[in-house]
Amino acid sequence: MIHKIEHVDDGFVRVHKQSCITGKHHSMVLPTRQGELEYWEESMALVQDVFPHFTPDDWDKAFGSEEE
């Protein structure tokens, strides 16, 4: 569950979320809009279906590559 969404710039939001595994709080700027994030959470759709504009490069920057 996303705890807070902040508008950063046109087409970008900062998402604050707590890890369900470690309990640590994290934040990340994503190239999307608040409504898209809310739809994704409510619909339980696959992230790749709702956010096809998150390219592999975006995922590697956000989450690291498989090689790391």
Side-chain angles (χ1 to χ4, degrees), residues 1-2 4 6 9 12-13 19 23 29 31-32 36 40 45-47 53-57 59-62 64 68:
M1 179 174 159
I2 295 173
K4 183 177 178 184
E6 296 176 84
D9 199 0
F12 290 86
V13 294
S19 169
V29 175
T32 192
E36 292 174 316
W40 170 67
L46 296 174
V47 70
H53 56 285
F54 288 179
T55 66
D57 289 342
W59 283 107
D60 288 347
K61 286 178 191 173
E68 294 178 358

Side-chain angles (χ1 to χ4, degrees), residues 19-65:
S19 169
C20 61
I21 298 171
T22 66
K24 292 182 181 179
H25 292 269
H26 303 278
S27 67
M28 180 182 297
V29 175
L30 298 173
T32 192
R33 298 182 190 280
Q34 182 171 345
E36 292 174 316
L37 286 168
E38 291 169 347
Y39 167 77
W40 170 67
E41 273 202 309
E42 293 170 8
S43 70
M44 298 189 63
L46 296 174
V47 70
Q48 62 267 31
D49 292 340
V50 178
F51 304 107
H53 56 285
F54 288 179
T55 66
D57 289 342
D58 292 329
W59 283 107
D60 288 347
K61 286 178 191 173
F63 305 108
S65 66

